[in-house]
Amino acid sequence: MSTKQNFEINKGEDALLMVTMATVTVITGWALTFTLRKTVDGTGLFTKTVAAGITITDGPNGVFTVAILRADTVDLTQVEYYYDIQRTTAGSATVLTQGTV
């Protein structure tokens, strides 16, 4: 089951989101994807992956960061958006966290 966490970012600013697994979990080698959407079930406005924008900073303790860049948000309006972060490793896909931005 995923946890819910809401956060705020300002339009056109860089943001670094630090995520720590609620239960210490080794995440070394995991494939992760962050997706921002206008609606809960909508098409992603942008995504971040371990290959581009997500950094596993402490794999043994379940800590990673998501880098959101000015270019990602500069064209967004000031409204509520929805995000999720999923483990996308083949055979282990699951939503880790979700909420509003």
Side-chain angles (χ1 to χ4, degrees):
M1 174 182 257
S2 67
T3 60
K4 298 218 182 236
Q5 182 174 348
N6 302 328
F7 63 90
E8 292 184 18
I9 57 174
N10 292 317
K11 176 180 176 172
E13 290 185 351
D14 296 328
L16 190 61
L17 310 175
M18 179 184 270
V19 180
T20 302
M21 301 291 288
T23 302
V24 175
T25 304
V26 177
I27 62 170
T28 304
W30 282 19
L32 302 170
T33 302
F34 168 97
T35 305
L36 187 75
R37 299 177 173 85
K38 273 192 170 183
T39 62
V40 173
D41 298 333
T43 303
L45 298 171
F46 67 85
T47 61
K48 300 291 179 169
T49 66
V50 173
I54 296 178
T55 303
I56 296 176
T57 54
D58 185 354
N61 290 303
V63 181
F64 62 95
T65 58
V66 180
I68 297 176
L69 306 176
R70 176 185 189 282
D72 296 324
T73 64
V74 72
D75 293 328
L76 300 180
T77 57
Q78 295 286 15
V79 298
E80 189 170 74
Y81 292 91
Y82 301 88
Y83 82 94
D84 63 45
I85 300 173
Q86 298 186 32
R87 178 180 183 187
T88 53
T89 307
S92 299
T94 188
V95 176
L96 302 174
T97 188
Q98 58 189 332
T100 59
V101 179

